[in-house]
Amino acid sequence: MLRPTLVSICVFTFVASIAYAADPTENPSDQIWLSPPKPTSSTSNWYAQPIDAPRGRVIEFDATRLTYAVESSDRKVTVAADRVLWIEPSSVPEDESTMIRLFEAGEFGKSLSYLPDVLKARPPVWRQQWLTMMSACAAHRSGRAKIALDLVEQLDRRPLPPMVIAWLPIQWNGGLASGVANQQAGERIDDESLLVQLVAASWMLTSPDRSTAINKLQSLTRNRDRLDVARLAQVLLWTTKPPAEVIESESKWLVQLDSFPMVMQAGPSMALQRKLRASGQIDSANRLLWSNQLTPIHRWLGLVE
């Protein structure tokens, strides 16, 4: 059973800024995956650039940048946060490892129950944020819609790395949300948190309140202060269009999708490939599908909703 203190623990642990200790002997190198840097006027984009996979000790990771110490060196490197696809710590506590393993195995309720104890161990803030967002997904997948939205709301009280936002429990697959999820979504559709609004609208798209969800998404696309929210809302609106408009807009949408930070493309590209397939654009849908399979930019692509 989920511990009743889960959300209150999230509030407590996000207050202080926590970082790795400075002693590299206590923190062996982490594995980091970075999307290629954007081409400049002096570089060619004729060939696809590979994903970079440096090893180093993470010093700081927030909504704007990642700084890490290069393995076996005192040299520090800083990159934009939206290039970070994934970070695999060299080691994690047993509870955290178990929590992640259960999530990967689809034991979402059991995985969620570990969150309070995992956060009590005070992992770095970025890790707390990602583990909590993973738990929001677990809550949604295990029928605990209210907890999922509560966790998203707590997370949205401070800026988040794109790697964390990419894990929002958005209904990308167009499946039917449960009656409970639709009810909770309807109650939170005008929440102060824009991320909650976005998630709630995605759940409601296949409900009798579809028009409310569409209106909310249209409103979110006009938000210039939160471009991450606006971009994701725009993709969800693409999934509501009739086949003729999908065919007409395909090229433009693919260009827009390619302009997203790579870490933000997994859910949107899966949603778009399903929409293209349903509209008879099989070749285009397959290209997106194969791209996701050959370059898996999401930790567990099969668990994207």
Side-chain angles (χ1 to χ4, degrees):
M1 179 179 294
L2 184 66
R3 298 168 176 81
T5 57
L6 189 151
V7 175
S8 61
I9 288 176
C10 290
V11 177
F12 175 72
T13 54
F14 289 157
V15 171
S17 177
I18 305 167
Y20 277 117
D23 185 352
T25 62
E26 296 180 4
N27 291 282
S29 295
D30 307 308
Q31 180 65 64
I32 303 167
W33 283 269
L34 303 173
S35 64
K38 294 180 181 179
T40 66
S41 57
S42 61
T43 59
S44 170
N45 59 1
W46 181 259
Y47 296 104
Q49 299 298 307
I51 289 174
D52 194 11
R55 296 192 67 89
R57 178 173 51 83
V58 173
I59 297 171
E60 181 182 13
F61 182 32
D62 58 25
T64 60
R65 63 184 179 274
L66 164 73
T67 300
Y68 64 94
V70 177
E71 185 179 43
S72 303
S73 170
D74 294 330
R75 185 168 65 92
K76 296 179 181 179
V77 175
T78 298
V79 298
D82 62 9
R83 288 188 57 202
V84 182
L85 302 177
W86 186 246
I87 300 174
E88 191 73 42
S90 56
S91 63
V92 297
E94 184 176 351
D95 277 354
E96 186 174 330
S97 177
T98 300
M99 175 186 177
I100 295 170
R101 177 178 54 78
L102 289 168
F103 183 89
E104 186 173 16
E107 298 284 347
F108 301 117
K110 292 180 180 178
S111 174
L112 179 62
S113 70
Y114 276 80
L115 181 61
D117 288 339
V118 166
L119 295 184
K120 282 180 182 177
R122 296 296 188 94
V125 165
W126 70 266
R127 191 73 177 165
Q128 294 178 42
Q129 291 171 327
W130 176 75
L131 289 164
T132 302
M133 190 67 85
M134 185 188 78
S135 293
C137 293
H140 181 216
R141 296 291 286 269
S142 59
R144 297 169 171 88
K146 182 180 186 306
I147 291 176
L149 294 176
D150 284 346
L151 292 176
V152 171
E153 188 273 332
Q154 298 289 354
L155 285 165
D156 201 22
R157 293 183 181 183
R158 65 185 298 168
L160 300 169
M163 188 189 82
V164 175
I165 294 174
W167 278 72
L168 278 167
I170 292 172
Q171 193 85 17
W172 290 117
N173 64 11
L176 293 173
S178 69
V180 173
N182 283 326
Q183 178 185 348
Q184 291 294 327
E187 293 175 0
R188 304 289 292 275
I189 194 66
D190 292 318
D191 198 275
E192 290 185 5
S193 162
L194 295 185
L195 292 185
V196 169
Q197 292 182 27
L198 180 68
V199 172
S202 79
W203 296 358
M204 294 172 64
L205 276 179
T206 53
S207 77
D209 295 317
R210 174 183 170 89
S211 61
T212 300
I214 290 175
N215 289 337
K216 176 56 67 177
L217 291 170
Q218 289 172 338
S219 173
L220 291 174
T221 63
R222 296 190 290 270
N223 191 304
R224 292 295 170 261
D225 295 325
R226 293 289 298 272
L227 292 182
D228 51 352
V229 172
R231 282 172 158 173
L232 297 177
Q234 186 65 64
V235 176
L236 287 168
L237 283 176
W238 295 347
T239 68
T240 69
K241 304 302 182 182
E245 187 171 348
V246 173
I247 294 170
E248 179 183 351
S249 303
E250 175 191 342
S251 298
K252 178 180 68 176
W253 289 352
L254 289 172
V255 170
Q256 287 182 245
L257 181 62
D258 193 50
S259 72
F260 290 15
M262 183 181 286
V263 69
M264 302 286 288
Q265 291 182 21
S269 65
M270 293 181 71
L272 183 55
Q273 71 94 1
R274 291 188 180 97
K275 190 63 181 180
L276 289 169
R277 191 175 303 279
S279 301
Q281 304 298 93
I282 306 302
D283 288 344
S284 296
N286 283 339
R287 282 194 291 271
L288 275 179
L289 178 63
W290 296 333
S291 177
N292 267 322
Q293 291 174 339
L294 292 172
T295 310
I297 54 178
H298 193 287
R299 165 71 173 176
W300 296 300
L301 191 62
L303 293 177
V304 175
E305 300 195 73

